[in-house]
Amino acid sequence: MGATGEQIGPARSRERFLVGDPVADGVRSPILNSWQRCRSLGLSPDQTDLPYRDDFDPDSRLVHAAQPVLDRLASRFAGSQMNVSLADGNGTVLQRRFGEPALARTLPPIQSVPGFVFAERFAGTNGIGLALAERHLVQVYGAEHFAERSQSNACSAIPIRDRLSGHVVGVLCFGYPHGYEHPRLPALVRRAAESIERRLMEERSERERALLRAYLDAGHAARDGAAPGEGPTIGLEELGDSGLDLGDQMILKEKATELMSGARRAAVEVLLPHGRGVTLLSSPVTSPTGVEGVVVEAVFGGEPPPAHRFSPATGRAARPSAPAPAPPAPGRVRGLVLVGEPEVGKYAVAARRRLELLAEASTRIGTTLDVTRTARELAEMAVPRLADYVTVDVPEAVLRGEESADPRSELHRTVVHGITEDCPFYPAGRRVELRSGTPHMRCLDSGQAVLEADLREAVGWIDQEPEHARRILDRNVHSLISVPLLARGVLLGIASFYRSQDPAPFGEDDSWLAQELAARAALCIDNARRYTREHTLALALQESLLPRGVPEQGAVEVAHRYLPAESGVGGDWFDVIPLSGTRVALLVGDVVGHGLHAAATMGRLRTAARNFAELELAPDELLTHLDNLLVRLDREEGGAEDCGSTGIVGATCLYAVYDPTSRVCTMARAGHPPPALVHPGGRVTFPELPAGPPLGLGGLPFETAEIELPEGSTLVLYTDGLVEDRERDIDVALDRLSHTLAEPDRSPEDTCRAVIDAMAPEHPEDDIALLVARTRTVPAERIATWTVSADPSLVAGVRAAATRQLADWGLDELAFAAELMLSELVTNAVRYGTEPIQVRLVHDTSLICEVSDGSSTAPHLRRAASTEEGGRGLFLVAQLARAWGTRYTPHGKVIWAECALDAA
């Protein structure tokens, strides 16, 4: 690279870097990373000496391929200060061309003579060294060079690859004054490198043609003096008449490729799928120009020579070794399968194995919607066929289903997997902190894979934690590929592949394979992350819509459980709703489907059910209202199908109302499993209830059933996820549930625990809602009832009787409020209601006053004008009572008022 005579580049940033000041802004990350590596290597900016090698091959294949290209470039830039250098894969300059030949005489030898090594670890930041480190086209301007001697230079450099193996075999570097910079220059550099790569392939093809000519010449010589009966040699494609189809030929070529990579004499019998055996013979061959290769022939007919027996079904040979192939027997035909250099066979075998690995990865990575499991599947696929150890680091936010605001600062070691149990890397579960300049951080910063062929020279990685790095190197871990996990533009983490057993370092082909595996895994991880986010949101929504606790009531002792499905939150719910007259409503339901839509629909239904329950609707009427609501919602959702709505399919529900004063439970169900009833002695029955259609069908009736529950019995309500799945019969599940419940005197909490332990699947496919209610009874001595005729004069007697009853209960302090409320309620019933009129007092957790009559007309609270004599009775009741209301019965209505026991 020649001098330009001008100072360019981020000189001030370089000065700040050299004195230890931060320079993250204004310096490209590849340059800054290179500077950091140079400082870690102990290089000095004023260092002038570089290693010189006089043992490089000036007549190598790379030089032969590049010579015409370099000559054309020198001619194109004739008379200019442009110069072109060709270096090998180690950074040793092999050839130089100058636009102005006289320029070479004015430059020091280090810039004009081939043989000097410009690898980054010797020369600092420069075009050749950075192209080898970054493995793609790079540009370095002026002060971006680390060494003082290069401050006046500008250059563009690009790796040259062997297209067959993908390995970097050299670097093409253009040096020029900064004024020569042109937008078309990168394209020119790429085209020149591509021309050299094409010529390398053409040279390889010419060598293979020379081997083929040597093989054919040898065949002609053999035929001239052939023994009687020796068969002719033909091409494999001509063997169709011998019964070989294209599939057979592919099998033979695959096995022949393996033989060619072995570079030795061998004989293998291949069993084709239809049972026919073909013998493959591999023999070394040398061209007149000295090119050494291998020819593989297929032998048909006659008795095969002793050989391996290879089956394409198993891919294995039956014998461990084979002697040198014998000459063909009489009547046999030989067919040429492959001819080429052993190195080509090795690359072809490796390429096929990489394709097989990718094909298998497409089925084995992403089998679950779990981020950690998907990361482990990536590691399990790569070990040992690509790497010996794999670590996967994912931000904690991704594990929660979110996008990480700064993936570099919150990496979490998610997976460590290797060929041995005692991996020399930090274990899973640990927070990972990365420094700038390490291969991992360079990978995260650039979003591209980083290959470190020799970890012993990865100074940034070593300097981060020298002791830990030493332990890893002591385990013969010598090569690294770091690949970002990128999907849909989101950085999800980093996968690192390490090699220890194979002495050969990772190459470009290994890097491409690692990137393919990581890309597939990243997409699956992103799907899992999105699913986790939606599952978490749906679960949070559902938990917010479910009861936070059991409301205070005295009718039943309640315990409950809710288990979300493993594959997605569903629409199961339960509820406990206190009603007037010490009664309680128990409710379980299940919305069809999973996800946010099902959870939101569940919330709508639960809210509606609570509202309908507080209207004191009978169970069948409540289900009818829910059915109508679901039909209406479905109709509204159906009109939004173009907006992506999935619509509502339906729901099932069981609604029960238990009255502890009569021990009567009134139930109705809409396509829901019947409840289980545990009698006080432990006997379990499933009450026969009218099934009813599921909610959402519309227009079909529901029926109620009344059951008198024994005192101390337990009612168990559940959703179908508890007893139904694809792996067990529902009758068997119900029998198991019955057996689990058949234990007397067990608390509802213990019952819930026992049922979940016995019935819940390890990986539930559907939500499970369980509600266990042990019934209580209001003693008869705590209930007082009077029947009243429609005579206003009898109201005073009712007040007096109620006062005496309250005194007997020790509630004298409530007598005044109770008298006023009863007086107003009974008077209203006598005036506006119809017989029979009945008054009831219930002493439970509160004092309940009820007046029932045969009329279905209910009074309404209103504000009376100052000139009106009436209309203030219900207002007075509302002020004295904690709550009041009206409920309808088959024979009329009940107006009730409730007073707290501490209201006095």
Side-chain angles (χ1 to χ4, degrees):
M1 293 177 288
T4 64
E6 54 180 325
Q7 189 77 5
I8 58 175
R12 292 183 180 178
S13 296
R14 179 175 173 278
E15 291 174 3
R16 290 198 302 270
F17 172 81
L18 293 176
V19 298
D21 292 340
V23 291
D25 296 334
V27 180
R28 293 181 291 143
S29 59
I31 301 298
L32 181 57
N33 290 333
S34 179
W35 286 357
Q36 291 170 340
R37 292 194 296 271
C38 293
R39 184 161 59 183
S40 299
L41 288 165
L43 298 180
S44 172
D46 56 2
Q47 180 178 339
T48 57
D49 295 333
L50 288 181
Y52 178 79
R53 299 188 59 179
D54 56 5
D55 60 346
F56 69 91
D57 185 1
D59 200 33
S60 65
R61 290 179 52 211
L62 176 61
V63 173
H64 268 290
Q67 190 111 20
V69 179
L70 296 177
D71 291 341
R72 287 199 301 270
L73 291 172
S75 174
R76 175 167 183 167
F77 294 108
S80 73
Q81 291 186 321
M82 178 75 77
N83 61 85
V84 183
S85 302
L86 176 71
D88 63 15
N90 297 315
T92 303
V93 174
L94 306 177
Q95 290 276 305
R96 290 186 180 273
R97 296 287 191 278
F98 295 91
E100 178 56 58
L103 183 63
R105 295 190 293 270
T106 65
L107 294 174
I110 197 173
Q111 292 182 313
S112 59
V113 177
F116 287 95
V117 182
F118 280 83
E120 187 181 69
R121 65 181 181 274
F122 302 120
T125 307
N126 70 93
I128 294 175
L130 193 59
L132 289 173
E134 296 292 328
R135 311 183 87 81
H136 57 74
L137 175 68
V138 298
Q139 294 175 297
V140 185
Y141 303 113
E144 289 184 335
H145 290 86
F146 186 79
E148 296 285 354
R149 65 173 180 275
S150 302
Q151 294 298 291
S152 59
N153 295 343
C155 60
S156 296
I158 188 171
I160 298 171
R161 289 182 169 86
D162 183 331
R163 292 186 175 181
L164 184 63
S165 66
H167 295 164
V168 174
V169 295
V171 175
L172 182 66
C173 182
F174 284 53
Y176 49 87
H178 187 251
Y180 275 46
E181 182 65 30
H182 193 279
R184 294 182 182 179
L185 184 59
L188 174 64
V189 175
R190 286 193 178 92
R191 286 198 303 271
E194 290 171 357
S195 297
I196 298 174
E197 292 173 353
R198 281 196 302 271
R199 290 183 57 80
L200 282 171
M201 286 298 295
E202 290 170 359
E203 284 188 3
R204 187 180 296 278
S205 300
E206 179 58 35
R207 289 148 63 97
E208 291 181 350
R209 286 193 292 270
L211 289 172
L212 179 59
R213 284 194 298 268
Y215 164 73
L216 294 176
D217 292 343
H220 286 299
R223 280 195 295 275
D224 291 341
E230 183 174 315
T233 299
I234 61 176
L236 185 62
E237 65 278 359
E238 303 176 49
L239 294 175
D241 297 337
S242 301
L244 291 182
D245 57 22
L246 290 177
D248 296 335
Q249 295 181 33
M250 289 299 299
I251 293 172
L252 293 177
K253 287 182 178 180
E254 287 182 7
K255 187 56 184 175
T257 303
E258 296 181 13
L259 289 175
M260 188 171 71
S261 65
R264 59 185 176 85
R265 292 182 178 273
V268 174
E269 184 182 359
V270 179
L271 296 179
L272 299 177
H274 47 69
R276 182 179 183 183
V278 177
T279 302
L280 291 181
L281 305 177
S282 66
S283 305
V285 62
T286 303
S287 74
T289 58
V291 178
E292 297 181 351
V294 175
V295 60
V296 182
E297 298 174 292
V299 181
F300 303 85
E303 292 297 326
H308 295 287
R309 183 177 292 273
F310 174 82
S311 171
T314 63
R316 297 179 179 176
R319 289 171 141 182
S321 61
R332 298 170 67 192
V333 177
R334 296 180 303 165
L336 176 62
V337 182
L338 285 178
V339 61
E341 297 177 82
E343 184 183 10
V344 177
K346 293 178 182 178
Y347 293 151
V349 170
R352 188 178 76 244
R353 289 173 179 169
R354 289 195 294 271
L355 290 175
E356 291 171 351
L357 179 59
L358 288 175
E360 187 176 348
S362 64
T363 61
R364 288 186 53 189
I365 296 178
T367 59
T368 65
L369 288 172
D370 180 82
V371 172
T372 301
R373 180 58 199 160
T374 303
R376 174 158 289 277
E377 289 169 347
L378 166 62
E380 291 173 347
M381 279 302 306
V383 175
R385 287 187 279 181
L386 172 61
D388 296 312
Y389 298 98
V390 174
T391 64
V392 181
D393 303 323
V394 176
E396 295 179 20
V398 173
L399 296 175
R400 298 192 301 266
E402 305 167 3
E403 290 186 16
S404 175
D406 185 7
R408 301 159 185 79
S409 63
E410 59 167 23
L411 284 176
H412 179 86
R413 177 58 51 85
T414 306
V415 171
V416 179
H417 183 63
I419 55 176
T420 60
E421 292 294 333
D422 57 335
C423 295
F425 303 95
Y426 289 128
R430 174 171 174 155
R431 188 180 182 88
V432 178
E433 297 182 2
L434 300 175
R435 291 183 185 175
S436 178
T438 61
H440 307 79
M441 185 58 77
R442 287 159 50 202
C443 170
L444 292 172
D445 287 338
S446 65
Q448 298 177 347
V450 172
L451 169 62
E452 286 287 354
D454 190 350
L455 278 176
R456 291 168 298 183
E457 298 180 0
V459 289
W461 173 75
I462 294 174
D463 289 346
Q464 174 166 282
E465 293 188 63
E467 185 62 26
H468 182 59
R470 184 188 61 78
R471 289 196 298 269
I472 294 176
L473 293 174
D474 287 346
R475 295 287 294 273
N476 294 322
V477 177
H478 59 80
S479 194
L480 161 69
I481 302 173
S482 291
V483 184
L485 297 174
L486 283 166
R488 304 181 178 97
V490 178
L491 181 59
L492 303 170
I494 183 173
S496 300
F497 304 82
Y498 298 86
R499 178 170 286 179
S500 64
Q501 286 194 333
D502 189 343
F506 282 127
E508 289 294 327
D509 48 355
D510 299 310
S511 177
W512 294 334
L513 178 57
Q515 292 176 63
E516 284 292 332
L517 290 175
R520 299 184 185 207
L523 189 60
C524 295
I525 288 174
D526 192 49
N527 291 337
R529 178 190 66 82
R530 290 166 177 253
Y531 166 79
T532 300
R533 180 186 61 192
E534 293 182 4
H535 181 76
T536 302
L537 289 175
L539 185 59
L541 173 62
Q542 187 165 40
E543 288 178 348
S544 70
L545 296 174
L546 288 172
R548 295 296 181 91
V550 178
E552 181 182 352
Q553 47 81 37
V556 292
E557 180 187 355
V558 176
H560 55 82
R561 292 288 189 277
Y562 170 74
L563 273 69
E566 187 176 75
S567 60
V569 175
D572 291 16
W573 87 96
F574 63 89
D575 214 342
V576 178
I577 308 171
L579 300 178
S580 63
T582 71
R583 297 171 308 133
V584 67
L586 305 173
L587 177 68
V588 291
D590 182 3
V591 175
V592 176
H594 292 83
L596 286 172
H597 191 266
T601 303
M602 176 274 289
R604 287 173 162 181
L605 287 179
R606 177 176 175 251
T607 301
R610 291 189 69 89
N611 292 333
F612 294 149
E614 293 190 1
L615 292 176
E616 304 285 358
L617 298 179
D620 57 338
E621 294 181 21
L622 183 139
L623 293 182
T624 299
H625 280 74
L626 289 181
D627 183 47
N628 293 335
L629 172 65
L630 203 55
V631 170
R632 186 167 62 254
L633 290 176
D634 200 12
R635 188 181 304 118
E636 293 173 357
E637 294 287 344
E641 287 181 358
D642 293 339
C643 299
S645 173
T646 59
I648 301 171
V649 178
T652 65
C653 184
L654 171 63
Y655 184 72
V657 176
Y658 173 67
D659 188 344
T661 63
S662 63
R663 292 189 283 106
V664 173
C665 185
T666 306
M667 292 180 278
R669 63 185 179 124
H672 202 84
L677 177 61
V678 184
H679 294 259
R683 184 171 63 92
V684 179
T685 60
F686 293 91
E688 294 185 4
L689 305 180
L695 301 177
L697 298 181
L700 299 176
F702 301 94
E703 300 179 58
T704 61
E706 290 188 352
I707 302 174
E708 185 173 337
L709 304 182
E711 185 175 351
S713 58
T714 300
L715 199 61
V716 180
L717 288 70
Y718 52 89
T719 55
D720 57 3
L722 185 70
V723 295
E724 293 184 17
D725 62 41
R726 289 179 289 184
E727 298 182 359
R728 58 181 174 177
D729 184 81
I730 186 171
D731 293 331
V732 175
L734 290 175
D735 288 342
R736 186 174 183 181
L737 176 61
S738 177
H739 178 76
T740 304
L741 293 173
E743 184 172 330
D745 300 326
R746 187 161 56 186
S747 69
E749 185 64 31
D750 291 340
T751 300
C752 273
R753 187 179 301 111
V755 169
I756 292 299
D757 291 344
M759 302 294 298
E762 183 177 357
H763 303 286
E765 298 178 356
D766 195 6
D767 288 18
I768 296 175
L770 176 65
L771 185 63
V772 178
R774 184 162 63 183
T775 61
R776 295 170 176 166
T777 303
V778 178
E781 60 270 17
R782 286 179 171 259
I783 303 174
T785 305
W786 300 275
T787 300
V788 182
S789 300
D791 184 353
S793 63
L794 300 178
V795 176
V798 173
R799 290 201 305 268
T803 301
R804 290 193 296 273
Q805 184 63 64
L806 292 176
D808 292 341
W809 288 340
L811 301 177
D812 300 272
E813 66 276 9
L814 295 179
F816 178 73
E819 280 189 56
L820 287 177
M821 289 190 298
L822 283 176
S823 177
E824 293 297 332
L825 295 179
V826 174
T827 299
N828 277 342
V830 169
R831 283 187 177 182
Y832 307 111
T834 59
E835 294 186 352
I837 300 173
Q838 192 175 67
V839 177
R840 186 172 77 157
L841 290 181
V842 181
H843 178 201
D844 193 41
T845 55
S846 62
L847 177 65
I848 300 171
C849 305
E850 295 181 344
V851 177
S852 62
D853 66 76
S855 171
S856 59
T857 303
H860 298 282
L861 184 66
R862 66 185 180 88
R863 182 177 296 276
S866 58
T867 57
E868 293 180 319
E869 295 185 2
R872 295 178 176 84
L874 283 181
F875 179 79
L876 180 61
V877 171
Q879 298 303 307
L880 295 173
R882 181 170 67 180
W884 75 279
T886 304
R887 70 173 180 268
Y888 294 92
T889 67
H891 309 291
K893 68 176 182 297
V894 176
I895 302 177
W896 57 271
E898 181 179 324
C899 287
L901 297 183
D902 58 353

